[in-house]
Amino acid sequence: MTYCLGIMTRYGLVMAADSRTNAGVDYISTYQKLFDLSCPGERVLLVCSSGNLSMTQAVVNWLQKDIRTKEDINIHNLPTLYEVARHIGSKIREIQDQDRPWLQKDGIDFQCSLLLGGQIKGEEPELYLIYSQGNCIQATQDTTFLQIGETKYGKPILDRTLTFETSLEAAAKCALLSIDSTMKSNISVGPPIDLVMYERDTLVIRHQLRLRLGDPYLAKIRKLWESSVKQAFEQMPDIEWEYDEEETREDVLID
């Protein structure tokens, strides 16, 4: 299992991923899950991967090989990010068609999914989730983030914090807290954490880092977040066990 997420705001993109793979409690390893496949000045392409490691590594290696060998169709010459997403989806299907019979024979799960975020010169920044079947969905102003892997523990803070108007710095902090919350609740997600922040229309990556296990900043935000959550909890009003039903008959709208 792993956890990756992409966030799109008016000001650009944030992509983040952990690096843990889990093939059982006695076989836990570290592999990179966030890849920069950009052509600086022309297009920014960031890919996060989750699922069967052999599948996702094969897809990324194939994409990199096509760039090196200047194939007629590769992710550096397709005109839109949507077409890049569909091209990556076709690569997933092609690799699965080759390996599926042998993986199914031994009962191995071959499912995988990828996040693609970036911008092509002359286009708007975009963010896509590419499914194992090769199809994809796109983030919008109403749904500003997409997740893959172990998504449930890190989703609440994203739901309550992010909007399309959120600054990139705030989105980056939110991404780290989302991953940290997931690590706290699930040992199959863990550091190093890779984080990239892309400012729209720059067409170059200027902000990226890798936070290792025990990184001082990671430890600091975990401590502060836990303290803030406890403080907010303590400020919640006590439950009103005895109340007048007639006075509370009118519902209060919450989203």
Side-chain angles (χ1 to χ4, degrees), residues 15-237:
M15 305 283 284
D18 84 315
S19 302
R20 182 167 292 176
T21 62
N22 178 19
V25 295
D26 58 348
Y27 193 76
I28 296 175
S29 303
T30 297
Y31 287 94
Q32 181 180 350
K33 304 292 182 63
L34 196 163
F35 303 91
D36 182 2
L37 304 178
S38 304
C39 179
E42 293 295 329
R43 60 185 62 200
V44 166
L45 301 172
L46 299 166
V47 173
C48 293
S49 62
S50 173
N52 183 287
L53 186 61
S54 68
M55 287 289 173
T56 57
Q57 285 187 337
V59 171
V60 172
N61 287 336
W62 203 332
L63 296 174
Q64 292 172 329
K65 185 269 294 180
D66 286 351
I67 293 170
R68 289 194 306 270
T69 58
K70 294 181 172 56
E71 294 296 316
D72 291 341
I73 299 177
N74 67 74
I75 61 174
H76 278 186
N77 61 27
L78 290 166
T80 67
L81 208 65
Y82 174 74
E83 290 176 81
V84 172
R86 294 295 298 180
H87 178 70
I88 293 174
S90 70
K91 292 295 184 183
I92 294 174
R93 288 195 296 265
E94 191 170 346
I95 293 168
Q96 286 181 337
D97 286 344
Q98 293 176 4
D99 295 348
R100 181 185 291 109
W102 309 103
L103 295 173
Q104 285 181 329
K105 180 181 178 182
D106 291 325
I108 297 174
D109 184 3
F110 54 85
Q111 301 297 305
C112 66
S113 54
L114 290 90
L115 293 178
L116 168 69
Q119 183 178 19
I120 293 176
K121 190 173 183 178
E123 301 283 325
E124 292 290 312
E126 293 176 336
L127 174 65
Y128 291 90
L129 191 165
I130 307 168
Y131 293 104
S132 190
Q133 294 80 5
N135 58 321
C136 62
I137 61 172
Q138 182 179 1
T140 67
Q141 293 186 22
D142 295 322
T143 305
T144 60
F145 66 89
L146 296 172
Q147 305 166 281
I148 54 175
E150 182 54 87
T151 61
K152 57 184 177 291
Y153 300 108
K155 189 173 185 292
I157 185 175
L158 303 176
D159 285 331
R160 292 180 179 272
T161 305
L162 293 175
T163 72
F164 190 64
E165 302 300 328
T166 301
S167 71
L168 281 182
E169 287 288 351
K173 285 191 292 184
C174 188
L176 284 179
L177 287 172
S178 178
I179 291 182
D180 181 72
S181 298
T182 306
M183 291 193 298
K184 181 72 173 178
S185 299
N186 192 319
I187 62 171
S188 70
V189 175
I193 297 172
D194 290 306
L195 179 70
V196 174
M197 184 175 75
Y198 168 67
E199 300 164 294
R200 65 169 296 148
D201 299 330
T202 60
L203 297 174
V204 65
I205 300 296
R206 294 173 176 166
H207 304 282
Q208 58 183 326
L209 55 80
R210 167 167 277 212
L211 297 172
R212 58 177 174 77
L213 178 65
D215 184 276
Y217 178 73
L218 199 57
K220 180 180 180 180
I221 65 169
R222 169 171 288 195
K223 183 177 180 179
L224 286 173
W225 181 244
E226 289 181 350
S227 175
S228 298
V229 170
K230 289 177 182 176
Q231 183 178 359
F233 173 76
E234 290 169 357
Q235 292 175 350
M236 292 296 101

